[in-house]
């Protein structure tokens, strides 16, 4: 008798139980796939850029003097640099949030050029309009902004002398992101913001650095931080990916949350499936004993139990992948402002396949061992 026949009959012996096990496994992997995709998208996925970000060593929320710019730019191994001042802003209503970054018009395009598309016309208009802003496609589409439109943003970090935090801007152009990059923000001119604000004038939130071709990022990081090691404002230089992870961790450790939820789901499913398979093997004591009487080896019995368990996990994982793919498509648009690049990556699916193999082996270990120990005379003793 072919092994596939044993697997099919084992799984259809109690079809409702098998269906419930497959559903339980599918739910666990559905949670894993969706949350992992959310985490990857929230953290920006795999960042391949060599961009470096220089911030205050004490905390990312603290400023740095703009006078550091020329000193950083003069260091060997640095191709270009820029500076920026960041603030959260709202438009019209206090709950309508967006990012506002004040940038230097001439140096910032080189720093973000591999991630965003900005036309030469937009850059020219931005440089000519003192209170001009470049709006990301996402926020521009959401609010219906067009080039030349006047808008007023309320900021959380930029304050005028009269205590107001409202700034009027003119839309100079719209930028598009590459590889699903976040575009729910606007970029204003630093000189305009800096001249209007009364707090933290002549300071920036971060410096952006691009190493020269052939220069090692670690050497550049060490050179920058060593330069300001004995100053009043010490620096901490990181890759952009590290900076974003640390920045997000200030609000919530997304990675830990995802691992805790997924871990609980997998442990629960592992206990349910293992316990069910143990009872299923006990129900088959007579059949297993009979197979041994007929000359089937312990290795064959072991293979049957393992194959049946792996088949259950394979079916559950396949169902989970289909459900997760559909769910991510439905969630992508509503969550775009929070998770700009939410997708079911092949790497995530491969990780799920690896996990399913490990969990299937762990789940089948106890029932498979029990099946191997069933004595041949059990077929005669069992009623």
């Amino acid at each position: 008798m072919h092994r596939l026949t044993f697997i099919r009959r084992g799984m259809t012996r109690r079809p409702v139980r098998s269906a419930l096990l497959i559903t339980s496994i599918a739910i666990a992997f559905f949670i894993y796939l969706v949350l992992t995709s959310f985490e990857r998208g929230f953290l920006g996925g795999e960042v391949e850029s060599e961009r470096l970000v220089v911030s205050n060593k004490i905390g990312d929320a603290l400023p740095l003097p703009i006078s550091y710019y020329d000193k950083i730019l003069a260091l060997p191994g640095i191709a270009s640099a820029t500076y920026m001042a960041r603030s959260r802003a709202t438009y019209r209503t206090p709950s309508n949030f967006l990012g506002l970054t004040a940038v230097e018009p001439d140096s910032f395009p080189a720093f973000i050029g591999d991630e965003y598309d900005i036309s030469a016309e937009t850059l020219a208009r931005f440089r000519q309009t003192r209170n001009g802003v470049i709006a990301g496609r996402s926020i521009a589409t959401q609010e219906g902004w067009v080039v030349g439109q006047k808008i007023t943003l309320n900021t959380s970090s930029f304050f005028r002398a009269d205590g107001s935090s409202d700034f009027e801007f003119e839309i100079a152009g719209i930028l598009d992101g590459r590889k699903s990059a976040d575009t729910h923000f606007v970029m204003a001119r630093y000189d305009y913001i800096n001249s209007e604000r009364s707090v933290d004038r002549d300071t920036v939130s971060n410096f952006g650095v691009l190493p020269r071709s052939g220069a090692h990022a670690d050497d550049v990081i060490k050179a920058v931080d060593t330069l300001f090691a004995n100053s009043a404002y010490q620096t901490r230089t990181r890759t952009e990916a590290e900076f974003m992870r640390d920045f997000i961790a200030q609000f919530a450790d997304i990675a830990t949350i995802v691992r805790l939820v997924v871990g609980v789901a997998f442990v629960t499913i592992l206990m349910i499936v293992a316990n069910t398979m143990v009872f299923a093997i006990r129900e088959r004591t007579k059949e297993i004993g009979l197979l041994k009487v007929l000359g089937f080896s312990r290795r064959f019995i072991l293979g049957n139990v393992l194959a049946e368990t792996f088949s259950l996990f394979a079916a559950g994982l396949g169902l989970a992948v289909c459900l997760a793919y559909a769910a991510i498509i439905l969630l992508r648009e509503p969550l775009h402002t929070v998770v700009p690049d939410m997708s079911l990556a092949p790497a995530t699916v491969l990780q799920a396949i690896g996990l399913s193999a490990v969990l299937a082996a762990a789940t089948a270990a106890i029932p498979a061992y029990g099946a191997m120990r069933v004595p041949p005379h059990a077929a005669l003793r069992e009623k």
Side-chain angles (χ1 to χ4, degrees):
M1 187 177 292
H2 199 278
R3 188 185 296 276
L4 290 177
T5 304
F6 283 101
I7 297 173
R8 177 176 58 81
R9 290 183 177 179
M11 294 181 66
T12 57
R13 180 188 181 96
R14 293 183 181 272
V16 174
R17 181 173 63 191
S18 296
L20 290 175
L21 285 176
I22 291 173
T23 302
S24 299
I25 295 168
I27 291 173
F29 278 100
F30 171 80
I31 294 172
Y32 169 79
L33 291 168
V34 173
L35 289 183
T36 303
S37 298
F38 178 88
E39 178 192 1
R40 288 172 61 91
F42 193 71
L43 297 177
E46 297 296 327
V47 179
E48 299 176 356
S49 172
E50 304 231 345
R51 292 189 294 261
L52 304 178
V53 178
V54 183
S55 55
N56 193 302
K57 184 178 182 179
I58 298 177
D60 293 330
L62 298 177
L64 289 172
I66 195 173
S67 58
Y68 281 11
Y69 176 65
D70 291 332
K71 297 177 182 179
I72 292 174
L73 196 58
L75 288 172
I78 292 180
S80 63
T82 189
Y83 51 85
M84 61 206 78
R86 304 177 187 272
S87 175
R88 174 184 279 189
T90 58
Y91 179 64
R92 289 185 174 174
T93 63
S95 60
N96 190 12
F97 293 107
L98 65 146
L100 172 62
T101 304
V103 300
E104 200 284 313
D106 294 320
S107 59
F108 89 93
F111 185 70
I112 66 170
D114 64 340
E115 193 172 2
Y116 296 98
D117 287 321
I118 310 175
S119 67
E121 181 182 358
T122 294
L123 286 175
R125 191 181 298 112
F126 184 55
R127 294 185 178 107
Q128 294 168 3
T129 309
R130 180 171 170 75
N131 67 334
V133 293
I134 299 177
R137 179 67 63 182
S138 173
I139 185 64
T141 301
Q142 174 184 306
E143 302 299 337
W145 292 342
V146 295
V147 175
Q149 180 177 342
K150 301 289 197 306
I151 61 171
T152 299
L153 300 180
N154 180 270
T155 70
S156 62
S157 303
F158 304 145
F159 298 97
R160 298 176 181 272
D162 60 1
S164 170
S165 58
D166 290 337
F167 286 79
E168 183 177 288
F169 299 106
E170 178 180 333
I171 305 295
I174 297 173
L175 63 79
D176 291 291
R178 299 176 182 174
K179 299 180 181 179
S180 301
D182 177 30
T183 55
H184 200 79
F185 63 89
V186 298
M187 292 187 296
R189 286 179 48 162
Y190 176 85
D191 55 354
Y192 168 66
I193 295 292
N194 192 53
S195 65
E196 294 291 326
R197 63 178 176 172
S198 60
V199 179
D200 292 331
R201 183 173 291 182
D202 296 331
T203 64
V204 299
S205 303
N206 310 104
F207 295 95
V209 174
L210 285 176
R212 290 185 184 276
S213 177
H216 292 289
D218 290 341
D219 294 337
V220 176
I221 290 172
K222 184 178 180 180
V224 173
D225 292 341
T226 300
L227 179 63
F228 304 109
N230 297 317
S231 66
Y233 298 90
Q234 297 183 35
T235 61
R236 182 187 179 192
T237 306
R238 290 160 284 177
T239 64
E240 188 178 40
E242 292 173 331
F243 171 78
M244 290 304 300
R245 282 194 290 268
D246 292 343
F247 179 78
I248 292 169
Q250 298 177 36
F251 304 96
D253 192 343
I254 300 298
T256 299
I257 294 173
V258 169
R259 293 189 187 101
L260 285 175
V261 174
V262 170
V264 170
F266 280 149
V267 169
T268 303
I269 295 305
L270 184 67
M271 294 173 64
I272 292 173
V273 177
N275 185 63
T276 304
M277 289 300 296
V278 168
F279 280 103
I281 295 302
R282 287 180 182 176
E283 291 177 358
R284 303 177 199 173
T285 300
K286 182 176 181 179
E287 289 87 343
I288 294 173
L290 184 59
L291 288 173
K292 290 186 176 181
V293 169
L294 294 174
F296 288 93
S297 66
R298 298 174 65 186
R299 181 177 298 178
F300 182 85
I301 303 298
L302 172 65
N304 277 350
V305 177
L306 290 174
E308 184 176 337
T309 306
F310 273 82
S311 297
L312 289 171
F313 272 85
L317 178 59
L319 178 59
V321 170
C322 295
L323 293 175
Y325 182 77
I328 289 171
I329 290 177
L330 293 175
L331 293 172
R332 186 177 296 161
E333 186 61 31
L335 295 178
H336 180 73
T337 58
V338 179
V339 189
D341 188 20
M342 187 173 181
S343 61
L344 187 58
T348 303
V349 177
L350 290 176
Q351 289 173 0
I353 293 173
L355 274 174
S356 69
V358 172
L359 290 174
T363 301
I366 295 177
Y369 178 71
M372 290 175 61
R373 294 185 61 194
V374 173
H377 63 265
L380 303 175
R381 188 177 65 235
E382 187 74 14
K383 295 182 179 180

